Amino acid sequence: MGSMLRRLLAGAIVVAAPLALAEPVHEQDVTGFDPSIIVGWGGFSEGSDPSDFGWAPGERHPSAAIHVVATYRLFRPLDLGLHVVHQWLGTRGLPEGTTAYASAAAGGLIARVHPLSIWRLDTLDLSLGAGLDLFAYVRQDTRAAEIDATVQRDAVTGAALPLIAGLDVFVGRTVAVGATAIWGPWWRVESCASQGNGPTSCQRVAAPTQQYFFLGVSCRLHVQFVG
């Protein structure tokens, strides 16, 4: 996963570098489309009793993640838009010879406020926001060592409430780089499982809420649509 994270960071730098030579942002450029890509490290805190979260074999641990936030800056203090995340998870505690792939994903709406913009600090941007991800799930595919081993698929679905804080510095007219932290509860509503090509069985679950955490570096573009 370390090499994956390095590749994601390198890609973000390649995209941002040609634009970073532009002029500083100006007052008339405040409103507009603000897509961001954030890469870093994240995972779930499963509380003091991991057995409460035993929806799939083994244990899942933090790993690389990528978040995309695409918002429109309505006016200086506020933007609204979409949030999407793909979180890879490491797996441990599996029987010898067993491998697994685990990941989480979510998507929904997000709103952010930019308090420093009130004082016309256009080169430094602090953002605080909250989202509602109605399409949140964690899944795992588990396979034993045998050549003809059947793949076991497990997944839990639900909703999430990400709380996000970021600090960006504009290095050009259209490019900002910075750091972002995300925390939020993930509620599990339904658990599904299947073996090989067999049918999938699902049931409602009443399990403790998982806490998601993430810390990463961001690259944000500022785009205006010229009429």
Side-chain angles (χ1 to χ4, degrees):
M1 289 302 176
S3 60
M4 181 185 300
L5 182 57
R6 287 194 294 271
R7 288 195 296 268
L8 290 172
L9 288 170
I13 293 173
V14 169
V15 172
L19 299 174
L21 300 177
E23 300 175 17
V25 69
H26 295 298
E27 171 138 353
Q28 65 268 25
D29 298 327
V30 171
T31 61
F33 184 53
D34 278 350
S36 303
I37 182 170
I38 311 163
V39 295
W41 202 257
F44 296 90
S45 174
E46 298 192 341
S48 59
D49 187 359
S51 64
D52 290 336
F53 299 90
W55 55 272
E59 301 173 356
R60 284 142 296 280
H61 292 267
S63 189
I66 181 169
H67 288 252
V68 176
V69 178
T71 61
Y72 189 84
R73 192 77 168 262
L74 300 175
F75 49 93
R76 278 188 173 272
L78 179 67
D79 63 19
L80 299 173
L82 302 175
H83 166 250
V84 178
V85 56
H86 184 87
Q87 171 71 59
W88 289 272
L89 296 169
T91 54
R92 302 176 192 169
L94 296 168
E96 185 176 356
T98 300
T99 59
Y101 172 80
S103 65
L109 303 175
I110 192 167
R112 296 183 301 185
V113 294
H114 305 263
L116 296 182
S117 66
I118 298 174
W119 292 278
R120 300 297 195 267
L121 297 179
D122 293 330
T123 57
L124 185 65
D125 185 31
L126 171 67
S127 59
L128 304 171
L132 177 59
D133 291 338
L134 296 175
F135 307 98
Y137 71 88
V138 186
R139 58 165 292 184
Q140 179 173 310
D141 293 348
T142 308
R143 183 189 296 271
E146 293 81 2
I147 296 177
D148 60 348
T150 299
V151 177
Q152 176 180 335
R153 297 181 176 87
D154 298 279
V156 288
T157 60
L161 180 65
L163 304 177
I164 182 170
L167 183 63
D168 295 321
V169 178
F170 271 92
V171 295
R173 186 185 185 91
T174 58
V175 179
V177 295
T180 299
I182 300 174
W183 173 88
W186 282 47
W187 292 278
R188 297 190 293 167
V189 176
E190 187 176 55
S191 176
C192 297
S194 66
Q195 293 278 348
N197 295 323
T200 300
S201 60
C202 298
Q203 60 181 355
R204 304 283 290 185
V205 295
T209 301
Q210 288 186 288
Q211 312 296 318
Y212 176 74
F213 60 92
F214 170 84
L215 183 64
V217 294
S218 61
C219 177
R220 174 155 61 98
L221 302 181
H222 184 77
V223 181
Q224 284 190 299
F225 298 101
V226 179

